[in-house]
Amino acid sequence: MDETTVSSGAKTPVSTQDVASAANAGIEHRQAYGTAKTENLRDSGWWRILLPTVVGLFCLALLAFPIAILSPLLAKSFDPTAAANVQHTPLTWIWITMIVVEVAIAVVIVWGLLRIFMTQAGNYRNR
């Protein structure tokens, strides 16, 4: 131990190795990777509007398609002159069951999408 320093009235030994490592830390080589100097890294905020809008429209479409396809089939099954009703094999219960099952599956998917995307978009508020 070559040198001693005085701090708060007490002497603490300092080695030349500590001094040399402190000097080397000041001249260490650093290199930046990427193009951060040329990229615009600021957030425009559009994704906070666009993402929930797109997810919301997708969720509405996911609920609307099964209902739009199966509702006319259900309405036609109530017609007494329909081919299935004339043969005494009503299909009303099939269309009701399919509507319930498909809407239930769509609700689970919509709930998951809203939980994933809407909670993340709400976490990044403008400051």
Side-chain angles (χ1 to χ4, degrees):
M1 296 197 198
D2 301 319
E3 300 176 11
T4 57
T5 58
V6 178
S7 62
S8 68
K11 290 185 176 183
T12 56
V14 177
S15 68
T16 54
Q17 186 178 18
D18 292 337
V19 173
S21 65
N24 286 341
I27 58 169
E28 94 180 12
H29 176 68
R30 294 182 182 205
Q31 182 176 358
Y33 297 100
T35 59
K37 292 180 183 177
T38 59
E39 290 180 11
N40 182 6
L41 298 178
R42 292 188 306 159
D43 181 19
S44 66
W46 277 103
W47 69 272
R48 291 186 187 115
I49 297 167
L50 189 62
L51 181 67
T53 303
V54 169
V55 171
L57 290 174
F58 177 74
C59 291
L60 286 175
L62 193 62
L63 287 171
F65 278 121
I67 293 172
I69 292 171
L70 294 173
S71 294
L73 294 171
L74 177 64
K76 195 172 254 189
S77 72
F78 292 128
D79 183 16
T81 60
N85 290 335
V86 170
Q87 294 176 355
H88 303 292
T89 54
L91 299 176
T92 306
W93 67 274
I94 292 175
W95 302 129
I96 292 173
T97 305
M98 286 190 61
I99 289 172
V100 169
V101 168
E102 289 191 17
V103 168
I105 291 170
V107 165
V108 170
I109 294 170
V110 165
W111 178 75
L113 288 172
L114 293 178
R115 187 170 173 200
I116 290 168
F117 287 104
M118 298 303 185
T119 56
Q120 289 300 319
N123 287 340
Y124 301 105
R125 302 207 191 289
N126 288 335
R127 295 175 190 209

